[in-house]
Amino acid sequence: MKLTDTHAHLYLPHFKGDLDQVVSRAKDNGVTCILLPNIDNGSLRPMLDVCSLYPGFCLPMLGLHPTSVKKDYTTKLESLEKQAGAASYVAIGETGMDAHWDTSHIEEQEASFRRHLDWAIELKLPVVIHSRKTTDIIISILKDGYSGRVRGVFHAFSGSTEQAREITGMGFMLGIGGVVTYPRSGLADVIKETGLEHIIIETDAPYLTPVPKRGKRNESSYLIYIAGKIAQISETDASQVAATTTRNAFNLFKLNGR
Ligand SMILES: [Zn+2]
């Protein structure tokens, strides 16, 4: 089994006490690589520190999470931009738009998202998109001059089969995580229709813990439950899901040789 966790926040305080064990358990369960999306200016240093503790295994991204986008977002972006040379980033992210918690900065979120797309083009990196109640807006932004020039993933995808079709039609991947194990997630239809070729998997640790660990802190070793569920939906075995989604992730993030 060769798994790739394409989205985990292992630098958060949730992992302060036992990060070494979390990483060992991930390796013991076949995880070969973990990608760490950034959240804000404050998380950048802790993220890079984790990546230097596990070189070649934990790899960083550069971005400002949409829920961290407020009035002063341009200052934050400029300061992050100065860090573009501080590490070998595998992606721009996470970015996107979130209309679930708070819509008071939705225009700033859109402007920030567009700036991230420009970074992705400039730096020739894929983009990791967070879309919560904003999937249609994001699809239309991508169609407005970005589609074909940027590649990436809709992380924690939980939309419809129609949205999945539009997204994969633009060459983007669907990031599937613990939600696939929840009753009534609707992702089974999406996966059957989309096929494994357009899917990468992720934990979003410490959040979105899959069944049967739901209620606990999520960690990268739980990727096995996500791969298992996708295998059941796709009527194949987990090692096939692992191999295909890892190949997809290695292609998207250009992980070979890292
Ligand atoms: Zn995330």
Side-chain angles (χ1 to χ4, degrees):
M1 191 99 91
K2 193 182 173 198
L3 294 157
T4 304
D5 189 353
T6 59
H7 200 111
H9 301 278
L10 296 190
Y11 51 81
L12 289 177
H14 308 67
F15 299 101
K16 265 243 143 21
D18 65 342
L19 183 60
D20 253 341
Q21 288 96 304
V22 166
V23 168
S24 314
R25 279 195 293 273
K27 289 180 175 171
D28 290 346
N29 282 282
V31 178
T32 52
C33 188
I34 304 176
L35 310 186
L36 310 189
N38 192 40
I39 296 175
D40 57 27
N41 303 65
S43 63
L44 196 76
R45 194 66 257 165
M47 177 188 67
L48 295 179
D49 287 346
V50 167
C51 291
S52 50
L53 279 175
Y54 309 100
F57 186 74
C58 290
L59 300 168
M61 304 183 197
L62 184 67
L64 181 64
H65 194 287
T67 59
S68 298
V69 171
K70 310 288 174 208
K71 281 263 166 293
D72 63 344
Y73 77 99
T74 49
T75 323
K76 289 183 179 173
L77 290 182
E78 276 155 26
S79 138
L80 285 176
E81 212 167 352
K82 292 202 183 94
Q83 303 295 319
S88 178
Y89 298 100
V90 289
I92 296 299
E94 58 187 289
T95 179
M97 296 170 71
D98 189 313
H100 181 71
W101 299 110
D102 176 12
T103 54
S104 53
H105 296 98
I106 203 78
E107 282 168 29
E108 288 90 344
Q109 287 188 25
E110 178 174 342
S112 170
F113 176 49
R114 287 179 181 271
R115 182 91 159 256
H116 282 78
L117 292 172
D118 293 333
W119 286 358
I121 292 170
E122 234 170 85
L123 300 170
K124 297 189 175 61
L125 290 173
V127 66
V128 172
I129 300 173
H130 169 110
S131 68
R132 195 147 183 214
K133 297 193 177 157
T134 51
T135 303
D136 286 331
I137 304 174
I138 287 181
I139 290 171
S140 64
I141 293 171
L142 290 174
K143 283 184 173 168
D144 176 28
Y146 291 103
S147 167
R149 301 166 66 212
V150 198
R151 300 189 322 138
V153 57
F154 278 64
H155 124 76
F157 179 78
S158 62
S160 65
T161 49
E162 290 72 25
Q163 288 170 331
R165 209 177 296 137
E166 294 228 52
I167 289 166
T168 57
M170 291 189 293
F172 277 73
M173 290 278 167
L174 305 178
I176 304 291
V179 174
V180 72
T181 67
Y182 303 168
R184 296 182 298 279
S185 80
L187 282 173
D189 289 339
V190 168
I191 290 166
K192 279 183 205 151
E193 154 121 11
T194 306
L196 293 178
E197 296 309 309
H198 302 283
I199 288 173
I200 59 177
I201 60 177
E202 58 176 55
T203 57
D204 203 14
Y207 314 111
L208 298 178
T209 312
V211 174
K213 302 286 184 183
R214 207 173 174 182
K216 299 202 171 106
R217 176 193 70 178
N218 199 2
E219 60 171 70
S220 297
S221 65
Y222 298 169
L223 215 49
I224 52 168
Y225 303 114
I226 294 161
K229 182 66 188 185
I230 295 174
Q232 188 194 328
I233 293 165
S234 312
E235 295 174 16
T236 180
D237 50 62
S239 62
Q240 185 58 50
V241 173
T244 307
T245 56
T246 284
R247 193 186 61 220
N248 294 344
F250 272 58
N251 287 339
L252 177 62
F253 297 103
K254 300 199 166 64
L255 300 178
N256 272 316
R258 271 189 180 265

